[in-house]
């Protein structure tokens, strides 16, 4: 079973696409477009975090009886990314595209090293541990409404 | 509020990899000074003692230094393998490796068996600790991805390289009788192809698609490459050792083609990148891959042009393309991502919410990277020119190489100092090694 690994890795690629669109707008100096793309990027990121935190991680923790292991590290990294996204938004509101590009470079690496851990380790572990439950967890993740970012 | 440092539990303290990254560039400076001191004669043949010293300033002082430091950092992130007692392990690798590289070069330069013996003990200790720690971590890794397989093959390559190096030291330090030319060819083959190329490939499988946002490497290539290269190296070693030279050349041609295809795929993927913005480190990747392809092409060409087959200039050029081009290029470029990111990562965990963390480009501006890039390119091109016309180009090559190393060292040290300043101001745990 690789259902969870496939569906969530695809979301990472989708966030990557939004990231590149945001970054490209910032480099062109198009602040309006950048704000628009960033809003979509941040919304996609937030929804992805919530799918993991509200559906996947609790199911994993329940099956393994371990809430202090890999999921805790992932939650902490989500928090680090949320913090960075909030800083980027503030920078964008000030219209400082140059600082924004420095922050986006930093976020990219933070985001990708996090994705490596999830795609290489956590998702395959989830698929193994959850087995037949995986479909139900994916349904629960899809059922989460896409909210505005916090 | 999250207590300082909590989110870093899988990552070793910053001082663990940083000590390697801040030491390595100065070996490039030493290499430049050695060329300046020895003059054009250092480009006469790969076998002259000063040239062997120069080679090891590059391979031990710069390449192995950064590669081992980066592995200590990356293994927990990339393969979920934790290395116990990271500070102690790092110290037991870094110090012997640094002193051992210097002792080995002194041994070559002054023909001193005592220096060779010191180098043997020191390098045996440093690599022994590194191999043990990294092997244990890697074989316990929970998943066997393409990267893990490549890293395992690379570590076998390092093991063989170090074993052969220690065996060769028996000749220089103790006067053992052994087939030095053959052992040195094996040593270079395993070190460059079995260890360096495979380690770069294992890392590239992850960092190229993720940081440049490109399509992934073809899964069939990833599945076959590392193991095929290791197997071909073993076959080549046996054939060369048995004196079956024609068959050995066929195996070696396979190795050259394998390396060239890795480089070509990497260049192709970089051309497909979906990030539309400029990236100062892309140049290093591109030159590195072109260097590998040029080395493979030159090697293959030299099989058909009989005057080239044993020409000292061709051997030197191969070494320059592989070491100063392929290896130094890609390592130099990656350091510019790793060091500022780690500084930011550790600072952010220490400052969490209390103060704003300077981003990567504030810690190391693109302009500083681009300027050092020109020095590196000048060093590589003038080294290539010096292999062909040493009298004219050895001084420019020496100066450009030393300048490029010093500039890299300055750029990275600047990040380390900013980290220390901000970390101290925040009252966070200061984990920068002594001497920074």
């Amino acid at each position: 079973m690789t259902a969870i690994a496939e569906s969530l890795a695809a979301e990472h690629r989708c966030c990557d696409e939004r990231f590149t669109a945001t970054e490209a707008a910032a480099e062109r100096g198009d602040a309006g477009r950048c704000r628009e793309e960033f809003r979509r990027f941040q919304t996609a990121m937030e929804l992805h975090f919530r799918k993991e935190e509200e559906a996947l991680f609790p199911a994993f923790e329940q099956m393994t009886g371990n809430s202090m292991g890999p999921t805790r590290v992932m939650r902490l990294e989500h928090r680090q990314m949320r913090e960075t996204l909030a800083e980027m938004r503030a920078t964008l509101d000030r219209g400082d595209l140059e600082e924004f590009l420095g922050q986006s470079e930093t976020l990219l690496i933070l985001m990708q090293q996090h994705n490596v851990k999830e795609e290489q380790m956590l998702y395959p572990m989830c698929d193994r541990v959850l087995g037949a439950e995986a479909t139900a967890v994916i349904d629960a993740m899809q059922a989460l409404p896409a909210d505005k970012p916090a | 509020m999250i207590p300082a440092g909590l989110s870093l539990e899988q990552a070793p303290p910053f001082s663990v990899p940083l000590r390697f990254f801040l030491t390595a560039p100065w070996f490039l400076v030493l290499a430049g000074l050695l060329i300046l001191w020895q003059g054009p004669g250092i480009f006469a043949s790969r076998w002259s003692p000063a040239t062997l010293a120069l080679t090891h300033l590059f391979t031990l002082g710069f390449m192995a230094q950064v590669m081992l430091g980066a592995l200590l950092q990356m293994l927990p992130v990339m393969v979920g393998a934790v290395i116990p007692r990271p500070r102690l392990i790092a110290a037991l690798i870094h110090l012997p490796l640094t002193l051992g590289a210097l002792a080995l070069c002194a041994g070559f330069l002054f023909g001193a068996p005592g220096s060779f013996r010191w180098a043997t003990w020191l390098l045996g200790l440093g690599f022994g600790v590194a191999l043990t720690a990294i092997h244990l971590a890697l074989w316990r890794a929970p998943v066997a991805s393409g990267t893990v397989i490549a890293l395992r093959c690379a570590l076998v390559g390092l093991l063989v390289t170090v074993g052969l190096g220690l065996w060769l030291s028996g000749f220089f330090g103790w006067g053992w009788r052994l087939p030095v030319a053959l052992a040195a060819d094996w040593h270079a083959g395993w070190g460059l192809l079995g260890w360096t190329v495979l380690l770069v490939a294992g890392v590239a499988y992850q960092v190229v698609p993720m940081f440049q946002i490109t399509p992934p490497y073809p899964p069939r290539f990833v599945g076959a490459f590392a193991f095929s290269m290791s197997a071909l190296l073993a076959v080549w070693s046996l054939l060369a050792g048995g004196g079956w030279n024609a068959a050995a050349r066929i195996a070696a041609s396979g190795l050259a083609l394998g390396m060239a295809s890795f480089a070509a795929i990497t260049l192709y993927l970089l051309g497909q990148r979906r990030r539309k913005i400029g990236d100062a480190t892309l140049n290093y990747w591109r030159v590195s891959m072109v260097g590998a392809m040029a080395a493979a092409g030159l090697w293959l060409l030299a099989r058909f042009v009989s005057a080239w087959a044993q020409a000292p200039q061709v051997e030197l050029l191969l070494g320059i393309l592989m070491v100063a081009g392929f290896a130094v290029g890609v390592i130099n470029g990656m350091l510019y991502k790793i060091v500022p990111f780690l500084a930011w990562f550790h600072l952010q965990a220490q400052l969490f919410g209390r103060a704003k963390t300077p981003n990567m480009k504030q810690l190391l501006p693109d302009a500083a990277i681009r300027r050092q890039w020109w020095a590196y390119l000048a060093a590589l091109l003038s080294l290539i020119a010096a292999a062909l016309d040493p009298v004219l180009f050895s001084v420019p090559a020496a100066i450009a190489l030393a300048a490029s190393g010093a500039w890299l060292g300055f750029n990275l040290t600047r990040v380390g100092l900013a980290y220390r300043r901000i970390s101290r101001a925040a009252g966070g745990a200061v984990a920068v090694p002594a001497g920074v």
Side-chain angles (χ1 to χ4, degrees):
Chain A
M1 286 285 281
T2 56
I4 288 175
E6 276 170 23
S7 98
L8 289 179
E11 290 197 14
H12 286 166
R13 300 295 85 80
C14 191
C15 290
D16 288 349
E17 291 291 340
R18 293 184 190 250
F19 173 86
T20 55
T22 310
E23 200 185 40
E27 176 151 287
R28 282 199 310 272
D30 187 344
R33 181 67 188 271
C34 183
R35 258 189 286 273
E36 173 65 19
E37 295 288 354
F38 181 75
R39 194 187 54 75
R40 294 171 59 191
F41 170 58
Q42 196 179 13
T43 308
M45 291 284 281
E46 184 58 35
L47 180 61
H48 176 74
F49 290 158
R50 285 184 46 222
K51 284 181 180 178
E52 294 184 341
E53 291 172 358
E54 292 173 24
L56 180 67
F57 294 172
F60 178 82
E61 286 159 1
Q62 204 183 0
M63 292 296 271
T64 58
N66 181 2
S67 59
M68 298 305 285
T71 50
R72 195 179 62 100
V73 180
M74 295 300 107
R75 285 178 203 272
L76 286 168
E77 291 188 354
H78 286 174
R79 191 161 167 180
Q80 247 180 322
M81 279 184 274
R82 283 188 173 112
E83 179 100 350
T84 308
L85 283 164
E87 280 177 14
M88 288 168 76
R89 189 176 189 153
T91 307
L92 209 47
D93 288 341
R94 284 202 316 277
D96 187 345
L97 292 181
E98 195 177 325
E99 185 175 350
F100 181 83
L101 281 170
Q103 291 170 322
S104 67
E105 173 81 24
T106 314
L107 176 77
L108 176 66
I109 300 193
L110 181 64
M111 185 165 88
Q112 299 296 7
Q113 61 92 39
H114 175 78
N115 292 353
V116 172
K117 290 183 201 168
E118 289 191 335
E119 290 174 31
Q120 302 286 320
M121 290 172 273
L122 186 68
Y123 295 164
M125 275 163 77
C126 285
D127 273 315
R128 249 197 331 267
V129 168
L130 293 171
E133 307 267 315
T135 323
V137 173
I138 291 175
D139 288 344
M141 289 195 292
Q142 302 306 346
L144 282 173
D147 286 348
K148 293 262 179 214
Chain B
M1 172 67 88
I2 295 179
L6 201 59
S7 65
L8 301 175
E9 60 185 7
Q10 279 201 321
F14 193 23
S15 73
V16 165
L18 189 63
R19 72 189 75 200
F20 295 93
F21 302 155
L22 294 186
T23 309
W26 305 104
F27 275 94
L28 295 180
V29 178
L30 284 181
L33 295 177
L34 180 62
I35 298 173
L36 209 54
W37 173 38
Q38 293 286 322
I42 203 164
F43 292 102
S45 145
R46 71 180 259 224
W47 296 105
S48 75
T51 315
L52 292 170
L54 179 66
T55 306
H56 287 86
L57 286 175
F58 276 105
T59 55
L60 287 173
F62 184 77
M63 288 159 53
Q65 186 91 244
V66 179
M67 288 154 82
L68 293 178
L71 269 180
L72 293 180
Q73 171 65 40
M74 283 180 181
L75 279 182
V77 178
M78 299 214 317
V79 303
V82 176
I83 291 170
R85 310 286 302 273
R87 276 179 227 264
L88 179 68
I89 298 280
L92 284 177
I93 299 170
H94 174 252
L95 204 61
L97 181 62
T98 305
L99 297 175
L102 294 172
L104 184 66
C105 294
F108 281 124
L109 285 171
F110 306 113
S115 280
F116 279 110
R117 286 182 215 159
W118 270 107
T120 308
W121 300 126
L122 287 163
L123 294 170
L125 171 67
F127 280 113
V129 172
L131 281 162
T132 311
I134 296 170
H135 265 274
L136 286 179
L138 206 51
W139 254 269
R140 282 194 211 135
V143 280
S145 62
T147 291
V148 173
I149 294 166
L151 294 186
R152 284 178 184 163
C153 290
L155 280 181
V156 171
L158 178 62
L159 186 67
V160 175
T161 309
V162 170
L164 289 165
L166 295 178
W167 191 44
L168 277 163
S169 74
F171 170 80
F172 293 103
W174 285 270
W176 296 355
R177 291 162 57 110
L178 45 101
V180 177
L182 179 66
D185 276 349
W186 282 341
H187 177 65
W190 282 91
L192 290 174
L193 299 169
W195 155 238
T196 309
V197 169
L198 296 190
L199 182 72
V200 169
V203 173
Y205 296 160
Q206 305 254 353
V207 302
V208 168
M210 298 209 125
F211 298 142
Q212 299 302 336
I213 311 192
T214 73
Y217 280 81
R220 271 202 242 155
F221 175 82
V222 171
F225 179 66
F227 187 76
S228 315
M229 290 289 281
S230 300
L232 263 178
L233 263 174
V235 170
W236 165 77
S237 306
L238 293 174
L239 293 172
W244 294 290
N245 291 334
R249 271 199 293 278
I250 295 175
S253 306
L255 288 166
L257 289 173
M259 178 177 76
S261 49
F262 163 70
I265 291 173
T266 306
L267 279 176
Y268 171 77
L269 291 177
L270 290 175
Q272 301 283 307
R273 69 195 281 269
R274 288 201 293 281
R275 274 188 98 183
K276 292 294 168 245
I277 74 163
D279 181 329
T281 68
L282 263 182
N283 291 332
Y284 295 91
W285 274 89
R286 292 207 173 107
V287 156
S288 166
M289 296 304 136
V290 169
M293 288 173 71
L298 178 62
W299 189 88
L300 289 169
L301 205 59
R303 299 311 108 194
F304 297 105
V305 184
S306 54
W308 287 14
Q310 297 296 322
Q313 286 80 13
V314 171
E315 292 193 322
L316 280 168
L317 269 178
L318 285 173
I320 289 168
L321 289 169
M322 280 303 291
V323 171
F326 169 70
V328 173
V330 73
I331 290 172
N332 190 331
M334 275 201 268
L335 280 171
Y336 282 145
K337 293 277 186 209
I338 300 172
V339 173
F341 174 71
L342 288 179
W344 176 87
F345 188 68
H346 288 271
L347 280 176
Q348 211 235 13
Q350 287 170 22
L351 299 175
F352 222 92
R354 283 181 290 165
K356 205 162 153 217
T357 315
N359 66 55
M360 281 170 68
K361 288 188 179 175
Q362 287 165 335
L363 288 165
L364 182 60
D366 275 351
I369 298 177
R370 285 186 209 280
R371 280 195 287 267
Q372 193 262 339
W373 153 253
W374 290 112
Y376 166 70
L377 190 64
L380 176 60
L381 293 176
S382 54
L383 280 168
I384 292 171
L388 302 171
D389 187 346
V391 176
L392 199 57
F393 286 104
S394 77
V395 172
I399 293 170
L401 179 61
S404 133
W407 214 325
L408 174 63
F410 173 77
N411 280 345
L412 299 180
T413 304
R414 178 168 144 178
V415 179
L417 290 175
Y419 168 81
R420 188 166 67 171
R421 193 184 63 242
I422 298 165
S423 180
R424 281 202 175 147
V430 176
V432 175
V436 173

